[in-house]
Amino acid sequence: MNKTELVAAVAEKAEISRKDAEKVLKAFTDVVTDELVKGEKVQMVGFGTFEVAERAEREGRNPKTKEPMTIPASKSPKFKAGKALKDLVNG
C-alpha cells in the first residue's frame, strides 16, 4: 500500500474527504517525526511504539577493498509492534 492508497483507505474508513485524510496523515507523521527528533518516543497502546535506536561507533570493513574502517555512531528510527498488533497479524 502506498501513501495515496493509505489516504484513500483512511478517508473511506473515517468517512471524511481524501483532502482531510491527507491532512490527518501529514499531521500524524509530522508529530511522530518531531518527537523522534527530540529523542522522545511515541507509544500507541495496542498498536506499537516509535522510538530512536542509538548505534555505537564500531569497526567494519570496506567490502571492496577489505580495508578496516570506522563506522560512525548514528541514530535510527524504529517501530516496535505492540502485542495486540502482533496477535492480529499472527492470526
Side-chain angles (χ1 to χ4, degrees), residues 1 3 18 23 29 31 39 56 58-59 61 67 78 84:
M1 174 179 276
K3 183 180 176 183
R18 285 185 182 199
K23 284 181 186 178
T29 57
V31 169
R58 64 192 191 277
E59 286 295 314
R61 290 202 177 271
E67 293 287 320
K78 74 176 193 177

Side-chain angles (χ1 to χ4, degrees), residues 26-52:
K26 172 86 171 109
F28 174 77
T29 57
D30 287 349
V31 169
V32 171
T33 301
D34 291 345
E35 290 301 307
L36 293 178
V37 167
K38 290 190 286 187
E40 300 293 325
K41 63 182 176 179
V42 178
Q43 292 180 302
M44 298 171 58
V45 176
F47 184 71
T49 303
F50 296 91
E51 58 190 338
V52 177

